Amino acid sequence: MKKSASLYLIIIACWLALIAVAFIPFTNVIHNSEGRGGLVATLVVFSTLFIAYFWLNGIKDLIYTIYYFVKRKSFKLPPEGAWRTKHGNTAMKKVAAVYCTYNDFNAASLAACLPQDYPNTSFVILDDSTQQSYMDEVDTFARAHDIEVVRRTDKSGFKAGNLNNYLQEADYDFFIILDSDEVIPSNFITRCLDYFAFYPNAGIVQANHVATRNRNKFMRLFAIGVDSHWPTYQTVKHHHGFLSLLGHGAMISRDCYVAAGGFPHLVAEDLCMSIEARNKGYYTAFAPDITCEEEYPISYLAFKKRHSKWTQGNMEFIKRYTGRIIRSKMTWFEKLDIILFTYSLPLSAFFALYIIINVILLPVFNYTVTYPIWLLIPTVMFLLAPMLNDIIFYGKKVSPFRLAWYLLHTILLYGSMLFTSLRASIKSTFGKSIFLVTPKEHDFISKWDAFKASKGELFFGFAILGVAYIFNHTILSTIVIAIPALFSVYLSRMANRE
């Protein structure tokens, strides 16, 4: 399995070309600030560097999407039966499907996974539940289907600890990771083995996913983003970036697991394990033709909790793995891919620092940064770049009104996460990251409950509007940031509609 640097050479070339065009305006802005003292000049330099970094991320999103839709028909998949052709019909490797649950057991999902067309398969429930009702449900299901249940008294290490507790001693050649809402197709194992045969240095095969079983308005509206995101970004990463295990719906070889040293006891255990495996010579392969099902977060509050977990996990990853990435044997473009994707989530909190500099600190010094108006064109374009994939993917599949409605709500949803990202980043930077389990159930949210659950976002939204007005005598500089935060109450109540 080989990867090409061509895509990232294009990304960097486009970015450098844009920086070259903006170099003189950027230089003039910094030069003009030097006469106001070292502190003002430092703030202006930071503001300019943030814009340059933002442009790099935006160009990455644009090139990723355009490249996929131009090249997608040329991507070749392993032939069906590649494993049987290479190893013969007698090479029946032992496969363990491990189902992880923590107070969120879903009997219907697990039952749908059981009928696999590969005979040498065993299912195991790794139950970390603390509520007796879920434990009883697990036991009842296990007895009915003759499935082993493994529990542990020491629940350290989050999901990684739960997996390692079983995998370090169990007998298997490959294992599958199933989350509580996972549904894998009946040919999952058979087709994954084809990928292992086709890519001899693959240690992990990550399957594709779509969001199903959408039970309310919130899930139905936003779930389509899952269906469009997975094939585009993971396919391109497979060929030109760093593809990571994404926590579920994946098959891993025992050799890869042992070489990586198991799952690190961190919140982002999937990403960290993938890097350890890569350093030992194993790649993660993406299988776009193996389509698994997952559930979209059931509500805005569940989505916010998952976003907080991802941010904390990525911030912990930055603290613990930055040095390892720099020293690793990975190619330079794989390392850059990790930085641009993984670091962007917690570093979005630095956007708040960018706001503070331009809305509060510089006005305090009676100084305003003035960039040429044409620089707004790439900035706005890159702000909307993440939506290009959805626009192309669904342009001919859904009505223009429905697509516009989805995109508008996507802006509100992810825009409202700025406060969550900021809080989670600060918490993880100065404290310990926590593995938060995404809630799978939703209770009716009254208006008062929605206000209470959104008090942080509401305070953040009104605060930045007030600060902008006090220091700039206008709210225009922060209104794009404030509006999504103020819509958090509306988003919180969307799941009430079945």
Side-chain angles (χ1 to χ4, degrees), residues 19-30:
I19 293 297
V21 173
F23 181 76
I24 293 178
F26 281 163
T27 303
N28 289 338
V29 166
I30 295 173

Side-chain angles (χ1 to χ4, degrees), residues 281-475:
Y282 291 93
Y283 286 87
T284 300
F286 179 61
D289 60 330
I290 306 177
T291 304
C292 304
E293 299 178 32
E294 64 178 354
E295 290 187 0
Y296 198 79
I298 196 168
S299 67
Y300 177 73
L301 303 183
F303 181 91
K304 187 163 62 173
K305 196 167 187 178
R306 187 184 72 172
H307 189 85
S308 178
K309 184 194 80 169
W310 283 357
T311 304
Q312 291 185 60
N314 286 8
M315 183 60 78
E316 182 184 44
F317 169 78
I318 290 174
K319 293 193 300 182
R320 300 281 292 272
Y321 267 76
T322 297
R324 295 178 69 83
I325 293 172
I326 295 173
R327 297 187 300 269
S328 75
K329 299 177 182 178
M330 289 184 285
T331 61
W332 65 268
F333 59 91
E334 287 178 284
K335 296 177 183 180
L336 180 58
D337 191 71
I338 294 172
I339 291 172
L340 291 182
F341 277 94
T342 308
Y343 285 44
S344 63
L345 188 60
L347 287 182
S348 64
F350 281 90
F351 185 49
L353 183 57
Y354 173 81
I355 298 169
I356 292 172
I357 288 174
N358 290 276
V359 176
I360 302 176
L361 297 180
L362 290 177
V364 165
F365 291 100
N366 197 28
Y367 189 85
T368 302
V369 180
T370 303
Y371 297 105
I373 191 67
W374 67 265
L375 289 181
L376 283 175
I377 297 175
T379 302
V380 172
M381 182 173 65
F382 297 144
L383 184 66
L384 301 176
M387 292 188 287
L388 178 63
N389 181 53
D390 288 326
I391 292 173
I392 299 177
F393 191 91
Y394 288 110
K396 296 181 180 180
K397 296 181 180 180
V398 302
S399 69
F401 175 79
R402 185 187 176 194
L403 180 58
W405 188 250
Y406 161 74
L407 294 175
L408 173 62
H409 281 76
T410 298
I411 293 173
L412 294 178
L413 178 64
Y414 286 95
S416 70
M417 289 295 113
L418 180 58
F419 174 76
T420 297
S421 296
L422 178 61
R423 181 171 57 184
S425 296
I426 294 174
K427 181 177 180 180
S428 183
T429 299
F430 299 102
K432 185 178 180 181
S433 298
I434 299 175
F435 190 101
L436 302 172
V437 178
T438 304
K440 302 300 190 298
E441 298 177 354
H442 168 70
D443 295 324
F444 180 86
I445 300 292
S446 67
K447 291 180 180 179
W448 176 241
D449 290 334
F451 273 105
K452 288 193 297 182
S454 304
K455 58 181 180 295
E457 287 77 12
L458 295 175
F459 174 80
F460 177 76
F462 284 119
I464 60 174
L465 289 176
V467 169
Y469 185 79
I470 291 171
F471 289 99
N472 293 301
H473 308 293
T474 177
I475 62 173

Side-chain angles (χ1 to χ4, degrees), residues 214-230:
N214 303 309
R215 304 185 296 279
N216 59 52
K217 182 180 178 181
F218 181 86
M219 300 175 79
R220 286 196 304 273
L221 178 60
F222 293 112
I224 63 173
V226 173
D227 304 4
S228 59
H229 178 88
W230 275 77

Side-chain angles (χ1 to χ4, degrees), residues 51-352:
I51 294 174
Y53 169 77
F54 178 75
W55 283 0
L56 178 58
N57 253 308
I59 290 173
K60 173 261 297 177
D61 285 326
L62 285 179
I63 299 298
Y64 249 73
T65 301
I66 294 171
Y67 181 85
Y68 172 76
F69 285 100
V70 170
K71 299 283 290 184
R72 60 178 172 172
K73 293 184 179 180
S74 65
F75 296 132
K76 298 186 181 301
L77 303 178
E80 293 188 9
W83 177 270
R84 185 173 60 254
T85 300
K86 184 175 182 178
H87 298 285
N89 293 326
T90 59
M92 297 301 292
K93 298 296 184 179
K94 186 172 184 179
V95 179
V98 294
Y99 176 93
C100 303
T101 179
Y102 177 80
N103 297 331
D104 59 355
F105 180 69
N106 187 323
S109 295
L110 182 53
C113 297
L114 297 180
Q116 291 295 306
D117 64 8
Y118 187 81
N120 198 13
T121 306
S122 61
F123 282 78
V124 182
I125 301 176
L126 307 184
D127 185 20
D128 256 3
S129 298
T130 57
Q131 298 180 21
Q132 191 61 46
S133 59
Y134 284 105
M135 296 170 69
D136 292 341
E137 190 175 357
V138 166
D139 291 337
T140 299
F141 184 94
R143 286 193 299 269
H145 296 86
D146 192 24
I147 292 177
E148 180 184 4
V149 178
V150 176
R151 295 189 173 99
R152 56 186 182 135
T153 55
D154 177 14
K155 300 186 184 302
S156 63
F158 313 119
K159 180 180 178 180
N162 192 14
L163 287 166
N164 289 335
N165 179 63
Y166 172 76
L167 294 171
Q168 288 174 349
E169 304 295 335
D171 179 24
Y172 60 89
D173 297 299
F174 295 89
F175 68 92
I176 306 166
I177 301 178
L178 304 174
D179 273 0
S180 63
D181 59 346
E182 185 83 30
V183 175
I184 60 175
S186 59
N187 69 336
F188 181 91
I189 298 172
T190 303
R191 190 64 181 131
C192 279
L193 288 173
D194 289 340
Y195 276 80
F196 282 110
F198 191 75
Y199 299 111
N201 55 355
I204 304 169
V205 174
Q206 174 63 64
N208 193 14
H209 282 73
V210 295
T212 59
R213 294 156 290 170
N214 303 309
R215 304 185 296 279
N216 59 52
K217 182 180 178 181
F218 181 86
M219 300 175 79
R220 286 196 304 273
L221 178 60
F222 293 112
I224 63 173
V226 173
D227 304 4
S228 59
H229 178 88
W230 275 77
T232 299
Y233 283 89
Q234 310 316 321
T235 297
V236 177
K237 281 175 171 288
H238 172 95
H239 294 280
H240 299 284
F242 178 81
L243 179 63
S244 168
L245 164 68
L246 295 171
H248 60 284
M251 189 163 160
I252 305 170
S253 72
R254 182 185 186 91
D255 291 342
C256 174
Y257 172 78
V258 172
F263 288 94
H265 285 197
L266 300 171
V267 174
E269 85 292 330
D270 46 1
L271 172 60
C272 298
M273 193 268 189
S274 302
I275 290 177
E276 299 292 354
R278 180 66 185 86
N279 286 335
K280 297 297 183 180
Y282 291 93
Y283 286 87
T284 300
F286 179 61
D289 60 330
I290 306 177
T291 304
C292 304
E293 299 178 32
E294 64 178 354
E295 290 187 0
Y296 198 79
I298 196 168
S299 67
Y300 177 73
L301 303 183
F303 181 91
K304 187 163 62 173
K305 196 167 187 178
R306 187 184 72 172
H307 189 85
S308 178
K309 184 194 80 169
W310 283 357
T311 304
Q312 291 185 60
N314 286 8
M315 183 60 78
E316 182 184 44
F317 169 78
I318 290 174
K319 293 193 300 182
R320 300 281 292 272
Y321 267 76
T322 297
R324 295 178 69 83
I325 293 172
I326 295 173
R327 297 187 300 269
S328 75
K329 299 177 182 178
M330 289 184 285
T331 61
W332 65 268
F333 59 91
E334 287 178 284
K335 296 177 183 180
L336 180 58
D337 191 71
I338 294 172
I339 291 172
L340 291 182
F341 277 94
T342 308
Y343 285 44
S344 63
L345 188 60
L347 287 182
S348 64
F350 281 90
F351 185 49

